[in-house]
Structure formats: C-alpha cells, structure tokens
Amino acid sequence: MSGSLSTVGVMSLFLYYFFFLLSSTAIGGRLVRDGASTTRGRDMLENGLGRTPQMGWNSWNHFQCNINEQMIRETADAMVSSGLSSLGYHYINLDDCWGEQNRDSQGNMVAKASTFPSGIKALADYVHNKGLKLGIYSDAGTQTCSKTMPGSLGYEDQDAKTFASWEVDYLKYDNCNNPGISPKERYTKMSKALQNSGRNIFFSLCEWGQENPATWATNVGNSWRTTGDIEDNWTSMISRADQNNQWASYAKPGAWNDPDMLEVGNGGMTIEEYRSHFSIWALAKAPLLIGCDVRSLDKQTLEILSNSEVIAVNQDKLGVQGKKVKSNGDLEVWAGPLTGGRKAIVLWNRSSGHASITAKWSDIGLKSSTIVHVRDLWEHKTTSSVRGKLTANVAPHACKMYVLSPKRLS
C-alpha cells in the first residue's frame, strides 16, 4: 500500500509539473504564468515592439495644437505617396490637443468634436488601411501640457483600454501637471495598464530625462526621452545629441534612448545642419520621427529623410547605440558597431570653419592592421582597401557618415 501511494505521489507531482508548463508561456526570454513574470537574463519590457528604433511622424514640432483629422489623413497619404512608408516610417502619431477639455459622463477621454468629428477609431481604421500605425498622446499628470485635455493620472487602466478599443498602436506619455509623484511610479502604472489593455501598444515615455529614465525604464517602456524638448535650431539640436550620448550603454532592442523628434525640414537649420541632425540620430539609434509637414516636402528634405543607407544604420539588428568616441574642440568622431563586424562612423564638424577630421582605427575599436571597405552614406560611394585611419575634409556644421566593412581581420 505504501509503494502504491508513492507511485501516486510521483504521478501527481509529474502531472502538476506538466500542467505548470502548459499554463506557462515563454515570451522573449521571459516566463509568464498567472499574470506574473520572471525575467531570464534581460530586464526589459517584453511586448515584442521596438526591436529597432521606431520610425514615423509626429504632429507637434510643426503643427503644435493646430491639428485635425483631415490633416492626419493627408499626412498618412503623403507618407505612402512619398515612399517614406516603404522605408520604415510607419507610425502616424497625434500629439497634444486631439481631445475635448473634459471626460464624458463615464470618465472616458473623448476626441475633440470640432477637429476629430469622426473619432479616433475611424482615424485608426483609415491609417491602418494605408498599411500604417496610429499613435496617440496623453500625460502622466492631471492635464496635458497644453491644458486643453485631461491627463491620465488616476485613469491609467480606463484610458489604456480606451486606446486599445480605438486600435491605437502607440502612446506618447508626457510629464506635465503632475502632483509630485515620482515619474517611475506614474509611468510604471501606465505601462502595466497598457500591458493589460488587450492590445500591444508601443510605450514612449516623455519624462524629459528628469530622473534618468535610462536607469529604470527598460522594463517600463520601449523608449524614453533623455532630454527636454528639441527646438529647430543648431544649438538645441547639438545639446540634445550630447545629453542623449551619456546614456548610450542603456539602449538595446526594445528599449531606446530618445533625444526627441526630428526637426528636419522645418526651416530653422541649414541643409548641412539637418543632414548632421539626421546622421547623429541614426547612429545613436534614436527614434526617427519626422516632425515637418510631409505633405509639402522639398527635394532636399526628402533626400535626407529617405536616405536608406543612413536609415539602415539606425535599424541595424545589433541594436547598439553609437556614441561620441573622440573630440578635439568642435571636431568630433562618433561611432558604433553594426552587424557583421562592421562599424558606422560620423565625422562631425561643429565649428564655423572647414576642417579635416581623422578617425583612427583605435578610436573605433578596430585593430590598426584591419583593412576595410569604406562606404560613404551621403555620397553613395565605396572606397576599397583602407587601412589604419579615415580622414575627411568637412564643411562647417556638416558631417561625413560612413560604414566600414572589414575586408579581413587580423
């Protein structure tokens, strides 16, 4: 009888373990069971999104609060007709001012009737039918930054489910009008609400880098702002690049540093400055979110935004953020690794005069004996059998961007 009981006990234990495995789901290195999760080797939000930095468009930089559903639909149309969507620019993101001042009688956020009369769900349907994704905006405070809409503080679960019901794909979550509760607490609450909403929604934290989100946000959101808002001028752009640079080691697939959206095409910088802006954002694995009016792109702006070779650096599957590796006053070398043992390099002249800039192989993590093919990403030309260093003459506020592919490693 005792042997029989032992057998039953063993069988019970086996069945328990079997059903445990059935009820457990492995998701990207994370074992999930009964709503709980245990991280295996990675500490990050495992919603499967943002494996490369997000690409798309956002309304704020150019339009601020002057948005409506017709303009958003026309923008979606232009993203397709310009060819930008085929290059990976998939998100069409509403920023502040899309909603009514007050919630409805059930406490729900409501689209502003005068500017979005068809509602957000209809807009999402339109955008999805173009093969694109729709993003929306809210705030981790009592009101949004414009104070024309309610924030989501205290309504996180309700708002997340509302966004999911509208089939929204992306949430930018701002940090205005908060009562002094820590950002980590407020953003974590919305992260959990999104994960429980029934829809996979990309979570973009817009906390402005105030409490070093790179150190805690990898398991909260897919990207986090490391800086205050960018402005359409040279000084603002380079300062955002420098502030973002210090957090380079924290970026990885599914979790990106965000020095704010692109100003390319808005008119406040020269073409060379915009090319530098785009190059550094691409190298730094920053989100590539267009901030101009894509319905009226000029040729030079489109050429910058549609440079597929620069975009490929940003979207490289290795997912390692490039960074500043050398500076001599205003003459800088930025670099980072790519798949296949390649290196991406930007020689950046932040001075007001022409200058020669050199990157030695030792600056970028290559042996001095390594022979490489050098691909110029803006001139679209390749130079073969380069050894030891790379030198270029660079115009004021301009850059040169290259990918180095080792011919042989020794």
Side-chain angles (χ1 to χ4, degrees):
M1 188 69 177
S2 61
S4 176
L5 285 172
S6 176
T7 300
V8 171
V10 169
M11 287 300 297
S12 297
L13 184 61
F14 172 81
L15 289 171
Y16 175 85
Y17 183 67
F18 176 75
F19 285 111
F20 171 87
L21 291 176
L22 282 180
S23 63
S24 302
T25 305
I27 304 177
R30 188 173 264 201
L31 186 67
V32 180
R33 180 178 180 267
D34 297 335
S37 64
T38 302
T39 304
R40 287 181 174 173
R42 285 191 297 197
D43 180 26
M44 59 190 296
L45 177 66
E46 289 293 356
N47 59 8
L49 301 175
R51 307 309 299 175
T52 58
Q54 67 266 40
M55 296 176 62
W57 174 90
N58 179 283
S59 60
W60 185 257
N61 283 1
H62 188 85
F63 295 96
Q64 287 81 50
C65 280
N66 187 26
I67 59 175
N68 59 66
E69 65 181 39
Q70 179 180 349
M71 183 271 286
I72 301 299
R73 289 178 178 176
E74 290 172 354
T75 296
D77 295 344
M79 290 290 273
V80 175
S81 63
S82 66
L84 289 170
S85 65
S86 65
L87 293 169
Y89 294 98
H90 292 153
Y91 288 105
I92 304 295
N93 294 345
L94 305 180
D95 211 282
D96 203 349
C97 310
W98 60 266
E100 293 286 5
Q101 177 86 50
N102 299 308
R103 295 173 180 272
D104 67 15
S105 58
Q106 283 76 47
N108 297 310
M109 279 187 166
V110 182
K112 194 171 182 179
S114 61
T115 50
F116 292 88
S118 302
I120 304 302
K121 175 61 168 64
L123 188 60
D125 290 344
Y126 185 90
V127 168
H128 291 158
N129 286 336
K130 293 284 179 180
L132 302 170
K133 301 176 186 294
L134 186 74
I136 209 161
Y137 166 98
S138 189
D139 190 283
T142 56
Q143 288 181 301
T144 62
C145 294
S146 68
K147 297 188 177 181
T148 64
M149 289 178 55
S152 291
L153 185 66
Y155 291 85
E156 291 87 355
D157 288 327
Q158 185 167 1
D159 290 351
K161 288 175 181 176
T162 295
F163 300 150
S165 73
W166 292 342
E167 298 187 5
V168 163
D169 304 293
Y170 185 113
L171 174 64
K172 175 183 173 182
Y173 204 44
D174 224 332
N175 195 30
C176 288
N177 304 303
N178 67 77
I181 303 171
S182 77
K184 185 175 182 179
E185 180 179 341
R186 289 180 286 115
Y187 282 87
T188 297
K189 192 169 184 181
M190 178 54 85
S191 176
K192 291 177 180 177
L194 291 173
Q195 292 175 69
N196 292 328
S197 70
R199 185 172 179 84
N200 231 10
I201 297 175
F202 189 107
F203 191 27
S204 169
L205 282 66
C206 186
E207 182 263 7
W208 318 318
Q210 287 191 338
E211 297 202 9
N212 303 335
T215 64
W216 52 263
T218 55
N219 60 352
V220 176
N222 298 109
S223 68
W224 50 84
R225 281 277 294 280
T226 54
T227 72
D229 288 357
I230 194 171
E231 297 177 6
D232 186 20
N233 62 71
W234 171 255
T235 300
S236 176
M237 184 271 286
I238 64 173
S239 71
R240 300 304 178 271
D242 289 343
Q243 291 168 44
N244 186 68
N245 181 62
Q246 66 183 307
W247 305 108
S249 63
Y250 292 89
K252 54 188 172 182
W256 306 107
N257 293 310
D258 177 6
D260 206 5
M261 300 167 290
L262 295 167
E263 290 283 8
V264 177
N266 279 329
M269 288 184 259
T270 67
I271 292 300
E272 290 290 4
E273 289 170 345
Y274 280 140
R275 195 174 286 125
S276 293
H277 179 16
F278 193 69
S279 299
I280 292 296
W281 261 238
L283 182 85
K285 301 297 188 291
L288 297 182
L289 294 173
I290 298 169
C292 66
D293 187 349
V294 296
R295 301 173 302 173
S296 55
L297 292 174
D298 59 48
K299 181 180 178 182
Q300 289 177 312
T301 299
L302 182 59
E303 285 178 351
I304 292 172
L305 295 173
S306 62
N307 187 324
S308 60
E309 294 191 72
V310 176
I311 291 170
V313 170
N314 179 259
Q315 297 291 296
D316 185 75
K317 301 297 184 183
L318 187 62
V320 175
Q321 178 173 328
K323 59 186 178 181
K324 188 185 304 188
V325 297
K326 180 182 178 181
S327 61
N328 179 15
D330 288 327
L331 309 182
E332 300 182 346
V333 178
W334 293 59
L338 302 173
T339 52
R342 298 171 301 144
K343 302 284 184 177
I345 300 180
V346 174
L347 306 181
W348 195 9
N349 179 6
R350 286 162 48 156
S351 76
S352 57
H354 284 76
S356 176
I357 304 176
T358 296
K360 296 180 180 179
W361 280 192
S362 58
D363 299 328
I364 60 175
L366 289 176
K367 293 181 179 180
S368 60
S369 58
T370 303
I371 300 172
V372 304
H373 298 299
V374 177
R375 178 68 175 177
D376 186 320
L377 304 191
W378 288 108
E379 295 295 330
H380 306 295
K381 296 178 181 178
T382 301
T383 303
S384 298
S385 301
V386 179
R387 185 199 297 265
K389 64 181 180 179
L390 178 65
T391 300
N393 292 313
V394 187
H397 290 193
C399 76
K400 299 285 187 178
M401 188 172 189
Y402 307 95
V403 167
L404 275 53
S405 300
K407 184 176 180 181
R408 66 177 177 84
L409 298 174
S410 59

PDB file of all heavy atoms in Angstrom, residues 54-75:
ATOM      1  N   GLN A  54      11.823  53.126 -33.291  1.00  0.00           N
ATOM      2  CA  GLN A  54      10.593  53.441 -34.004  1.00  0.00           C
ATOM      3  C   GLN A  54      10.812  54.522 -35.057  1.00  0.00           C
ATOM      4  O   GLN A  54      11.623  55.426 -34.899  1.00  0.00           O
ATOM      5  CB  GLN A  54       9.493  53.871 -33.024  1.00  0.00           C
ATOM      6  CG  GLN A  54       9.730  55.196 -32.301  1.00  0.00           C
ATOM      7  CD  GLN A  54      10.391  55.022 -30.960  1.00  0.00           C
ATOM      8  OE1 GLN A  54      11.275  54.204 -30.812  1.00  0.00           O
ATOM      9  NE2 GLN A  54       9.971  55.816 -29.974  1.00  0.00           N
ATOM     10  N   MET A  55      10.076  54.391 -36.160  1.00  0.00           N
ATOM     11  CA  MET A  55      10.122  55.364 -37.247  1.00  0.00           C
ATOM     12  C   MET A  55       8.711  55.790 -37.584  1.00  0.00           C
ATOM     13  O   MET A  55       7.786  54.974 -37.569  1.00  0.00           O
ATOM     14  CB  MET A  55      10.788  54.749 -38.479  1.00  0.00           C
ATOM     15  CG  MET A  55      12.243  54.356 -38.301  1.00  0.00           C
ATOM     16  SD  MET A  55      12.921  53.531 -39.771  1.00  0.00           S
ATOM     17  CE  MET A  55      12.765  54.843 -41.009  1.00  0.00           C
ATOM     18  N   GLY A  56       8.548  57.053 -37.903  1.00  0.00           N
ATOM     19  CA  GLY A  56       7.236  57.548 -38.269  1.00  0.00           C
ATOM     20  C   GLY A  56       7.193  59.062 -38.311  1.00  0.00           C
ATOM     21  O   GLY A  56       8.155  59.719 -38.732  1.00  0.00           O
ATOM     22  N   TRP A  57       6.098  59.605 -37.839  1.00  0.00           N
ATOM     23  CA  TRP A  57       5.832  61.047 -37.898  1.00  0.00           C
ATOM     24  C   TRP A  57       5.062  61.449 -36.652  1.00  0.00           C
ATOM     25  O   TRP A  57       4.274  60.662 -36.117  1.00  0.00           O
ATOM     26  CB  TRP A  57       5.012  61.364 -39.146  1.00  0.00           C
ATOM     27  CG  TRP A  57       4.536  62.779 -39.277  1.00  0.00           C
ATOM     28  CD1 TRP A  57       5.188  63.821 -39.878  1.00  0.00           C
ATOM     29  CD2 TRP A  57       3.276  63.317 -38.832  1.00  0.00           C
ATOM     30  NE1 TRP A  57       4.429  64.965 -39.811  1.00  0.00           N
ATOM     31  CE2 TRP A  57       3.238  64.689 -39.175  1.00  0.00           C
ATOM     32  CE3 TRP A  57       2.187  62.764 -38.159  1.00  0.00           C
ATOM     33  CZ2 TRP A  57       2.154  65.505 -38.871  1.00  0.00           C
ATOM     34  CZ3 TRP A  57       1.096  63.582 -37.857  1.00  0.00           C
ATOM     35  CH2 TRP A  57       1.095  64.938 -38.224  1.00  0.00           C
ATOM     36  N   ASN A  58       5.314  62.668 -36.182  1.00  0.00           N
ATOM     37  CA  ASN A  58       4.571  63.222 -35.049  1.00  0.00           C
ATOM     38  C   ASN A  58       4.143  64.643 -35.379  1.00  0.00           C
ATOM     39  O   ASN A  58       4.881  65.391 -36.025  1.00  0.00           O
ATOM     40  CB  ASN A  58       5.436  63.191 -33.791  1.00  0.00           C
ATOM     41  CG  ASN A  58       4.740  63.779 -32.576  1.00  0.00           C
ATOM     42  OD1 ASN A  58       4.635  64.995 -32.430  1.00  0.00           O
ATOM     43  ND2 ASN A  58       4.254  62.923 -31.693  1.00  0.00           N
ATOM     44  N   SER A  59       3.005  65.030 -34.882  1.00  0.00           N
ATOM     45  CA  SER A  59       2.398  66.314 -35.266  1.00  0.00           C
ATOM     46  C   SER A  59       2.984  67.533 -34.565  1.00  0.00           C
ATOM     47  O   SER A  59       2.840  68.665 -35.048  1.00  0.00           O
ATOM     48  CB  SER A  59       0.887  66.259 -35.001  1.00  0.00           C
ATOM     49  OG  SER A  59       0.615  66.026 -33.622  1.00  0.00           O
ATOM     50  N   TRP A  60       3.659  67.364 -33.412  1.00  0.00           N
ATOM     51  CA  TRP A  60       3.929  68.519 -32.551  1.00  0.00           C
ATOM     52  C   TRP A  60       4.901  69.537 -33.123  1.00  0.00           C
ATOM     53  O   TRP A  60       4.629  70.746 -33.097  1.00  0.00           O
ATOM     54  CB  TRP A  60       4.417  68.063 -31.173  1.00  0.00           C
ATOM     55  CG  TRP A  60       4.584  69.232 -30.256  1.00  0.00           C
ATOM     56  CD1 TRP A  60       5.748  69.842 -29.880  1.00  0.00           C
ATOM     57  CD2 TRP A  60       3.525  69.972 -29.635  1.00  0.00           C
ATOM     58  NE1 TRP A  60       5.485  70.912 -29.059  1.00  0.00           N
ATOM     59  CE2 TRP A  60       4.124  71.013 -28.890  1.00  0.00           C
ATOM     60  CE3 TRP A  60       2.128  69.852 -29.640  1.00  0.00           C
ATOM     61  CZ2 TRP A  60       3.370  71.928 -28.161  1.00  0.00           C
ATOM     62  CZ3 TRP A  60       1.377  70.757 -28.894  1.00  0.00           C
ATOM     63  CH2 TRP A  60       1.994  71.787 -28.174  1.00  0.00           C
ATOM     64  N   ASN A  61       6.057  69.111 -33.602  1.00  0.00           N
ATOM     65  CA  ASN A  61       7.113  70.060 -33.966  1.00  0.00           C
ATOM     66  C   ASN A  61       6.652  71.101 -34.981  1.00  0.00           C
ATOM     67  O   ASN A  61       7.069  72.260 -34.917  1.00  0.00           O
ATOM     68  CB  ASN A  61       8.345  69.323 -34.511  1.00  0.00           C
ATOM     69  CG  ASN A  61       9.158  68.682 -33.410  1.00  0.00           C
ATOM     70  OD1 ASN A  61       8.812  68.762 -32.232  1.00  0.00           O
ATOM     71  ND2 ASN A  61      10.243  68.018 -33.784  1.00  0.00           N
ATOM     72  N   HIS A  62       5.829  70.701 -35.904  1.00  0.00           N
ATOM     73  CA  HIS A  62       5.387  71.625 -36.948  1.00  0.00           C
ATOM     74  C   HIS A  62       4.021  72.246 -36.668  1.00  0.00           C
ATOM     75  O   HIS A  62       3.811  73.436 -36.911  1.00  0.00           O
ATOM     76  CB  HIS A  62       5.339  70.910 -38.296  1.00  0.00           C
ATOM     77  CG  HIS A  62       5.080  71.821 -39.460  1.00  0.00           C
ATOM     78  ND1 HIS A  62       6.096  72.512 -40.100  1.00  0.00           N
ATOM     79  CD2 HIS A  62       3.928  72.187 -40.084  1.00  0.00           C
ATOM     80  CE1 HIS A  62       5.582  73.244 -41.069  1.00  0.00           C
ATOM     81  NE2 HIS A  62       4.269  73.066 -41.091  1.00  0.00           N
ATOM     82  N   PHE A  63       3.102  71.443 -36.144  1.00  0.00           N
ATOM     83  CA  PHE A  63       1.709  71.887 -36.052  1.00  0.00           C
ATOM     84  C   PHE A  63       1.271  72.296 -34.646  1.00  0.00           C
ATOM     85  O   PHE A  63       0.246  72.972 -34.502  1.00  0.00           O
ATOM     86  CB  PHE A  63       0.778  70.781 -36.561  1.00  0.00           C
ATOM     87  CG  PHE A  63       0.938  70.481 -38.018  1.00  0.00           C
ATOM     88  CD1 PHE A  63       1.751  69.432 -38.439  1.00  0.00           C
ATOM     89  CD2 PHE A  63       0.289  71.238 -38.967  1.00  0.00           C
ATOM     90  CE1 PHE A  63       1.913  69.148 -39.789  1.00  0.00           C
ATOM     91  CE2 PHE A  63       0.433  70.960 -40.323  1.00  0.00           C
ATOM     92  CZ  PHE A  63       1.251  69.919 -40.738  1.00  0.00           C
ATOM     93  N   GLN A  64       2.005  71.870 -33.609  1.00  0.00           N
ATOM     94  CA  GLN A  64       1.582  72.084 -32.233  1.00  0.00           C
ATOM     95  C   GLN A  64       0.097  71.684 -32.086  1.00  0.00           C
ATOM     96  O   GLN A  64      -0.260  70.568 -32.387  1.00  0.00           O
ATOM     97  CB  GLN A  64       1.835  73.516 -31.785  1.00  0.00           C
ATOM     98  CG  GLN A  64       3.304  73.830 -31.534  1.00  0.00           C
ATOM     99  CD  GLN A  64       4.065  74.122 -32.817  1.00  0.00           C
ATOM    100  OE1 GLN A  64       3.632  74.932 -33.624  1.00  0.00           O
ATOM    101  NE2 GLN A  64       5.186  73.478 -32.992  1.00  0.00           N
ATOM    102  N   CYS A  65      -0.775  72.600 -31.645  1.00  0.00           N
ATOM    103  CA  CYS A  65      -2.182  72.243 -31.411  1.00  0.00           C
ATOM    104  C   CYS A  65      -3.064  72.378 -32.650  1.00  0.00           C
ATOM    105  O   CYS A  65      -4.262  72.095 -32.595  1.00  0.00           O
ATOM    106  CB  CYS A  65      -2.763  73.108 -30.286  1.00  0.00           C
ATOM    107  SG  CYS A  65      -2.311  72.523 -28.636  1.00  0.00           S
ATOM    108  N   ASN A  66      -2.493  72.805 -33.751  1.00  0.00           N
ATOM    109  CA  ASN A  66      -3.287  73.040 -34.958  1.00  0.00           C
ATOM    110  C   ASN A  66      -3.412  71.747 -35.768  1.00  0.00           C
ATOM    111  O   ASN A  66      -2.859  71.614 -36.865  1.00  0.00           O
ATOM    112  CB  ASN A  66      -2.634  74.142 -35.792  1.00  0.00           C
ATOM    113  CG  ASN A  66      -3.490  74.548 -36.977  1.00  0.00           C
ATOM    114  OD1 ASN A  66      -4.704  74.412 -36.960  1.00  0.00           O
ATOM    115  ND2 ASN A  66      -2.833  75.039 -38.017  1.00  0.00           N
ATOM    116  N   ILE A  67      -4.150  70.794 -35.212  1.00  0.00           N
ATOM    117  CA  ILE A  67      -4.300  69.501 -35.873  1.00  0.00           C
ATOM    118  C   ILE A  67      -5.775  69.162 -36.050  1.00  0.00           C
ATOM    119  O   ILE A  67      -6.634  69.623 -35.291  1.00  0.00           O
ATOM    120  CB  ILE A  67      -3.603  68.368 -35.081  1.00  0.00           C
ATOM    121  CG1 ILE A  67      -4.174  68.256 -33.662  1.00  0.00           C
ATOM    122  CG2 ILE A  67      -2.097  68.597 -35.045  1.00  0.00           C
ATOM    123  CD1 ILE A  67      -3.624  67.072 -32.868  1.00  0.00           C
ATOM    124  N   ASN A  68      -6.043  68.366 -37.069  1.00  0.00           N
ATOM    125  CA  ASN A  68      -7.407  67.880 -37.295  1.00  0.00           C
ATOM    126  C   ASN A  68      -7.335  66.585 -38.093  1.00  0.00           C
ATOM    127  O   ASN A  68      -6.283  66.230 -38.635  1.00  0.00           O
ATOM    128  CB  ASN A  68      -8.259  68.925 -38.021  1.00  0.00           C
ATOM    129  CG  ASN A  68      -7.686  69.327 -39.364  1.00  0.00           C
ATOM    130  OD1 ASN A  68      -7.628  68.513 -40.289  1.00  0.00           O
ATOM    131  ND2 ASN A  68      -7.226  70.574 -39.480  1.00  0.00           N
ATOM    132  N   GLU A  69      -8.461  65.901 -38.188  1.00  0.00           N
ATOM    133  CA  GLU A  69      -8.437  64.570 -38.791  1.00  0.00           C
ATOM    134  C   GLU A  69      -8.128  64.609 -40.280  1.00  0.00           C
ATOM    135  O   GLU A  69      -7.481  63.704 -40.807  1.00  0.00           O
ATOM    136  CB  GLU A  69      -9.750  63.832 -38.539  1.00  0.00           C
ATOM    137  CG  GLU A  69     -10.976  64.428 -39.175  1.00  0.00           C
ATOM    138  CD  GLU A  69     -12.231  63.619 -38.845  1.00  0.00           C
ATOM    139  OE1 GLU A  69     -12.374  63.149 -37.700  1.00  0.00           O
ATOM    140  OE2 GLU A  69     -13.060  63.450 -39.762  1.00  0.00           O
ATOM    141  N   GLN A  70      -8.530  65.665 -40.975  1.00  0.00           N
ATOM    142  CA  GLN A  70      -8.221  65.750 -42.405  1.00  0.00           C
ATOM    143  C   GLN A  70      -6.712  65.849 -42.627  1.00  0.00           C
ATOM    144  O   GLN A  70      -6.149  65.176 -43.500  1.00  0.00           O
ATOM    145  CB  GLN A  70      -8.916  66.955 -43.043  1.00  0.00           C
ATOM    146  CG  GLN A  70      -8.618  67.098 -44.532  1.00  0.00           C
ATOM    147  CD  GLN A  70      -9.303  68.307 -45.165  1.00  0.00           C
ATOM    148  OE1 GLN A  70     -10.166  68.928 -44.560  1.00  0.00           O
ATOM    149  NE2 GLN A  70      -8.902  68.638 -46.389  1.00  0.00           N
ATOM    150  N   MET A  71      -6.052  66.666 -41.817  1.00  0.00           N
ATOM    151  CA  MET A  71      -4.602  66.809 -41.939  1.00  0.00           C
ATOM    152  C   MET A  71      -3.895  65.489 -41.631  1.00  0.00           C
ATOM    153  O   MET A  71      -2.915  65.128 -42.301  1.00  0.00           O
ATOM    154  CB  MET A  71      -4.114  67.911 -41.000  1.00  0.00           C
ATOM    155  CG  MET A  71      -2.618  68.202 -41.079  1.00  0.00           C
ATOM    156  SD  MET A  71      -1.628  67.187 -39.950  1.00  0.00           S
ATOM    157  CE  MET A  71      -2.023  67.975 -38.400  1.00  0.00           C
ATOM    158  N   ILE A  72      -4.368  64.765 -40.630  1.00  0.00           N
ATOM    159  CA  ILE A  72      -3.749  63.486 -40.292  1.00  0.00           C
ATOM    160  C   ILE A  72      -3.932  62.483 -41.429  1.00  0.00           C
ATOM    161  O   ILE A  72      -2.995  61.752 -41.786  1.00  0.00           O
ATOM    162  CB  ILE A  72      -4.333  62.923 -38.974  1.00  0.00           C
ATOM    163  CG1 ILE A  72      -4.099  63.905 -37.812  1.00  0.00           C
ATOM    164  CG2 ILE A  72      -3.729  61.555 -38.660  1.00  0.00           C
ATOM    165  CD1 ILE A  72      -2.645  64.188 -37.510  1.00  0.00           C
ATOM    166  N   ARG A  73      -5.110  62.469 -42.024  1.00  0.00           N
ATOM    167  CA  ARG A  73      -5.336  61.565 -43.156  1.00  0.00           C
ATOM    168  C   ARG A  73      -4.450  61.943 -44.342  1.00  0.00           C
ATOM    169  O   ARG A  73      -3.875  61.067 -45.004  1.00  0.00           O
ATOM    170  CB  ARG A  73      -6.812  61.590 -43.550  1.00  0.00           C
ATOM    171  CG  ARG A  73      -7.717  60.906 -42.543  1.00  0.00           C
ATOM    172  CD  ARG A  73      -9.169  60.991 -42.934  1.00  0.00           C
ATOM    173  NE  ARG A  73     -10.005  60.274 -41.973  1.00  0.00           N
ATOM    174  CZ  ARG A  73     -11.335  60.235 -42.023  1.00  0.00           C
ATOM    175  NH1 ARG A  73     -11.977  60.862 -42.987  1.00  0.00           N
ATOM    176  NH2 ARG A  73     -12.008  59.564 -41.106  1.00  0.00           N
ATOM    177  N   GLU A  74      -4.338  63.238 -44.614  1.00  0.00           N
ATOM    178  CA  GLU A  74      -3.479  63.695 -45.708  1.00  0.00           C
ATOM    179  C   GLU A  74      -2.014  63.346 -45.437  1.00  0.00           C
ATOM    180  O   GLU A  74      -1.262  63.010 -46.356  1.00  0.00           O
ATOM    181  CB  GLU A  74      -3.634  65.204 -45.904  1.00  0.00           C
ATOM    182  CG  GLU A  74      -4.986  65.603 -46.472  1.00  0.00           C
ATOM    183  CD  GLU A  74      -5.185  67.107 -46.486  1.00  0.00           C
ATOM    184  OE1 GLU A  74      -4.313  67.844 -45.956  1.00  0.00           O
ATOM    185  OE2 GLU A  74      -6.214  67.566 -47.034  1.00  0.00           O
ATOM    186  N   THR A  75      -1.617  63.402 -44.174  1.00  0.00           N
ATOM    187  CA  THR A  75      -0.252  63.030 -43.801  1.00  0.00           C
ATOM    188  C   THR A  75      -0.012  61.549 -44.058  1.00  0.00           C
ATOM    189  O   THR A  75       1.034  61.153 -44.589  1.00  0.00           O
ATOM    190  CB  THR A  75       0.013  63.371 -42.324  1.00  0.00           C
ATOM    191  OG1 THR A  75      -0.079  64.790 -42.152  1.00  0.00           O
ATOM    192  CG2 THR A  75       1.384  62.888 -41.882  1.00  0.00           C
TER     193      THR A  75
END
